[in-house]
Amino acid sequence: MKKLISLLTIASLMFSSFVVVGTNTARAAASDLAITAPANASTSPGLARDVSFSWTIGLQTGQTTIATSSIAQFKVKTNAGALIAGSVSACAASTTAIAGGGVTQAYGVGIATFTFATTTANTSGTACIKVPALAEGIYYITLYTGSPANDSAAVALYVGGFNQVTVTADVDPTFSFTLSSNSCDLGILQTSATSTCTYHATSTANTVQTGGIAVMVRADNAALRAGAETIDAIVGAPGSFAVATEANGVRLSANAGGNIGGGFNGTANQGQALPTSPTAIYTSSGANTTVSFTAMHIAIAGAATKVGHYTQQVTYSATLGF
Amino acid sequence: MPIRILKLFNLALAINLLFIGPVMAMSSQNYQISQDSINFGGSDDGNSANYQLDDTFGELGTGQTDSANFSLESGYRQNDNETPFFSFNVAAADKTTKIAYTNFGSSTVTLASAPNFAVDDYVAVTADEGASQKVAVGRVTAIAGNTLSVDFWSGDFATMPATPAGGNDFVYKLTGHAFDMGFLSQTQVSTAISFYHLTTSARNGYSVGAFANHVFRTNTGAVIANVADGAVNVGSGEYGIRTTGDDVMSSVADMPVQLTSAVIASSSVRSEVRRGAVIYKASSNNDILAGHYTQTVTYIATLNF
């Protein structure tokens, strides 16, 4: 049996040695056929389109003359390598041009063939083919340049969004209002000069609201109170503080993104009484995302001001205007 | 010739004919073998400085035969210049197929539960989803129980742990063309994944370029800025991509998606099967306006014959 197998092997190799036929193809390592990707390689599905190409047969490495081609044959194929089902046709305005002319055109299912006159030195050319309406997908078009150039190349054809990825993300709306302090101590009031304390208010949103941000304020009472005793709100909008004339009020200064309203924008030594119902004191317009202001509470005692611990509760709120 | 020897010769002839097989093309969903031949010798891509030799030995009756109306070119190499092949697939990870895994191997991944995948699906395996996320992509070739076998991994597979940890490692099916990152956070980097798979016979390689239709923005014009420092960080309010896979230009830095085509992977030599993954990253902070952000990225393959 061993001998039989050996004989079989030898016989097989002997037979094979008789039928060696070289079908080698040696090509230059450098690129010789260059095809330019068409400008309209990306298009919409369901529409026939003219696709224009240009190509050049270059000098192969190791050769001294550029080979010519006898034909330029285009095949439109699917991503799986099959010819498309529809027929390729001539462009409305043919731009096929080969140096020396002599071009005949033939069209078929998935194929367009341009045959050149044998007397023409065809080393480059341009052509336009009408690709039939295709379904969404990725296709490719091959170019084969006939003998003696005998080379091929391909370019991609994108129909619809199969070569695209759409990435999305969402950012939640946020809105905040903060006070730098929840207390403001005026200290021991004097009759000879005003006492002050300050804090900052900031409102931030990440929305592109068109109505801006409005900061509202209200006090539990316009006066500072210590039991039944009061230091009244200043009169005027704004009003000016006077020595030994008891009064209290608030003055604002803008830090970012808004406007002071309602007499709260007085100058030095001026103030505005706080309202007891919600009132806009700081507003912005448009797409401001941050507004900020500084509130200064101001008070002065009079000769008749009673001893006591005076307080006032002030409440702020902020709203977004869309 | 003795009868015994004649029988032997006939048997040898039969065996030999078996080895001199048909010349034909084959294809499947994911591969195309444009031409094949069973012989006893020859090879593709014999190279020297200036020439490249593709040879085949052992074929019968090759060559060109012409008649008035037809031309026959028979033989394996006769077809060399006529059938360049190309395929290009682009897809995004499908969030609905997200599934944890328990083991990542050199060509396998074992899922934590019964797989909802099929042979020939492309899958993406992630490790440590977030700012430092790693991704490997492959094509499923077999499924045994909860274990998927793939043809090979492309991407960050060499640095991905065999045993995932941290609860942020998943497998996705790559299909469709959209990925929603959901609501962005100020405490983590959100990610999305896409991939491309390219086959080509182009002798001098290929390149894959990418470009976006616009910056990552809302339809009211709010923008998450492109990453500029090489890393999309937590709380930075940035957006960018990282590429990984075969022949990618950079697999380390996060980079912006350009509005004109920029090459993300290329090779100057024959590269018949190539894959790459693209990881999209986004982070938010207080300066990022509320809204629905979107960007479409187009991938273009250029072949160099």
Side-chain angles (χ1 to χ4, degrees):
Chain A
M1 190 60 181
K2 257 186 181 177
K3 284 182 179 175
L4 181 64
I5 292 172
S6 297
L7 276 171
L8 280 172
T9 306
I10 292 167
S12 179
L13 289 175
M14 284 177 64
F15 185 82
S16 293
S17 68
F18 294 140
V19 296
V20 168
V21 177
T23 59
N24 313 330
T25 57
R27 282 180 288 181
S31 176
D32 44 3
L33 175 60
I35 181 172
T36 303
N40 53 348
S42 297
T43 186
S44 301
L47 296 172
R49 67 203 56 81
D50 292 349
V51 182
S52 297
F53 300 90
S54 64
W55 69 90
T56 302
I57 301 170
L59 185 68
Q60 295 182 347
T61 304
Q63 295 185 344
T64 55
T65 57
I66 297 175
T68 61
S69 61
S70 54
I71 63 169
Q73 184 175 68
F74 294 93
K75 295 181 180 179
V76 185
K77 296 187 174 185
T78 68
N79 213 23
L83 280 177
I84 61 169
S87 292
V88 177
S89 55
C91 292
S94 177
T95 59
T96 302
I98 307 298
V103 181
T104 59
Q105 305 174 20
Y107 299 93
V109 176
I111 297 178
T113 304
F114 303 87
T115 304
F116 311 139
T118 54
T119 56
T120 303
N122 307 310
T123 59
S124 65
T126 61
C128 178
I129 62 173
K130 180 179 284 296
V131 176
L134 296 171
E136 190 171 30
I138 298 176
Y139 301 80
Y140 66 104
I141 300 175
T142 64
L143 165 63
Y144 166 65
T145 52
S147 62
N150 273 330
D151 207 348
S152 55
V155 294
L157 178 65
Y158 303 98
V159 179
F162 266 42
N163 61 327
Q164 296 178 330
V165 170
T166 298
V167 178
T168 56
D170 292 279
V171 173
D172 259 344
T174 59
F175 183 46
S176 67
F177 181 80
T178 58
L179 295 173
S180 61
S181 176
N182 293 105
S183 64
C184 189
D185 186 4
L186 290 165
I188 307 292
L189 298 185
Q190 310 290 321
T191 58
S192 58
T194 57
S195 298
T196 63
C197 65
T198 62
Y199 52 84
H200 308 293
T202 303
S203 181
T204 301
N206 73 340
T207 58
V208 189
Q209 76 283 3
T210 55
I213 296 174
V215 178
M216 317 288 283
V217 67
R218 70 175 175 84
D220 59 343
N221 196 294
L224 292 170
R225 293 188 301 172
E229 300 300 328
T230 61
I231 297 175
D232 291 338
I234 193 165
V235 176
S240 296
F241 292 94
V243 172
T245 302
E246 73 171 32
N248 89 86
V250 170
R251 187 171 74 244
L252 305 184
S253 57
N255 295 329
N259 299 295
I260 301 166
F264 288 93
N265 57 347
T267 58
N269 203 42
Q270 287 187 320
Q272 165 75 29
L274 285 169
T276 55
S277 60
T279 302
I281 61 168
Y282 198 82
T283 57
S284 68
S285 59
N288 300 91
T289 55
T290 298
V291 297
S292 176
F293 62 86
T294 299
M296 175 183 284
H297 285 253
I298 311 162
I300 187 168
T305 302
K306 298 293 190 292
V307 173
H309 183 69
Y310 291 81
T311 63
Q312 181 187 50
Q313 188 178 63
V314 182
T315 302
Y316 289 92
S317 62
T319 58
L320 288 173
F322 288 94
Chain B
M1 183 182 294
I3 292 174
R4 189 173 173 186
I5 299 296
L6 185 60
K7 282 182 179 175
L8 198 60
F9 187 83
N10 288 338
L11 190 57
L13 175 61
I15 293 170
N16 200 53
L17 289 175
L18 280 175
F19 281 89
I20 304 175
V23 177
M24 59 174 56
M26 293 191 294
S27 64
S28 71
Q29 180 181 343
N30 299 296
Y31 287 99
Q32 180 188 0
I33 301 172
S34 60
Q35 55 191 99
D36 60 15
S37 177
I38 301 172
N39 300 291
F40 67 83
S43 68
D44 279 347
D45 294 340
N47 287 307
S48 68
N50 296 320
Y51 288 94
Q52 177 173 297
L53 174 66
D54 300 340
D55 54 18
T56 303
F57 301 122
E59 292 181 317
L60 285 166
T62 61
Q64 182 166 329
T65 305
D66 294 320
S67 70
N69 297 315
F70 295 97
S71 175
L72 170 66
E73 293 178 339
S74 60
Y76 177 65
R77 296 294 175 190
Q78 299 295 324
N79 204 32
D80 263 8
N81 288 325
E82 296 184 19
T83 56
F85 67 84
F86 166 71
S87 70
F88 190 55
N89 293 294
V90 175
D94 180 354
K95 285 174 65 178
T96 65
T97 63
K98 179 179 179 179
I99 187 170
Y101 64 95
T102 58
N103 184 269
F104 178 72
S106 59
S107 62
T108 61
V109 60
T110 302
L111 308 178
S113 55
N116 186 23
F117 299 96
V119 170
D120 284 336
D121 283 348
Y122 287 97
V123 294
V125 181
T126 69
D128 301 326
E129 287 196 359
S132 302
Q133 176 173 324
K134 295 177 177 178
V135 173
V137 293
R139 182 178 60 85
V140 177
T141 55
I143 301 173
N146 288 357
T147 299
L148 310 180
S149 295
V150 300
D151 52 352
F152 60 89
W153 293 121
S154 294
D156 303 316
F157 61 95
T159 57
M160 290 168 60
T163 305
N168 56 351
D169 315 280
F170 301 99
V171 179
Y172 300 85
K173 181 178 177 179
L174 292 159
T175 183
H177 298 274
F179 193 105
D180 183 12
M181 292 184 180
F183 286 98
L184 300 184
S185 164
Q186 297 193 22
T187 59
Q188 67 181 31
V189 172
S190 299
T191 60
I193 306 163
S194 73
F195 98 121
Y196 59 86
H197 176 93
L198 176 144
T199 66
T200 177
S201 59
R203 292 276 169 173
N204 294 300
Y206 74 100
S207 65
V208 174
F211 64 93
N213 58 339
H214 51 61
V215 294
F216 199 47
R217 64 165 171 79
T218 68
N219 60 6
T220 57
V223 172
I224 297 181
N226 275 328
V227 62
D229 59 357
V232 175
N233 295 310
V234 171
S236 62
E238 293 174 305
Y239 173 81
I241 62 169
R242 182 175 75 84
T243 56
T244 182
D246 305 327
D247 310 319
V248 297
M249 306 302 286
S250 170
S251 62
V252 178
D254 296 334
M255 53 192 178
V257 184
Q258 305 291 346
L259 300 185
T260 55
S261 188
V263 173
I264 60 172
S266 70
S267 171
S268 60
V269 298
R270 185 171 181 151
S271 311
E272 293 194 349
V273 181
R274 287 294 187 268
R275 270 179 217 148
V278 179
I279 306 166
Y280 308 78
K281 300 180 180 180
S283 67
S284 184
N285 61 20
N286 285 334
D287 295 328
I288 302 300
L289 297 177
H292 183 66
Y293 290 80
T294 182
Q295 181 185 67
T296 296
V297 181
T298 300
Y299 294 89
I300 299 290
T302 302
L303 312 175
N304 303 314
F305 282 87

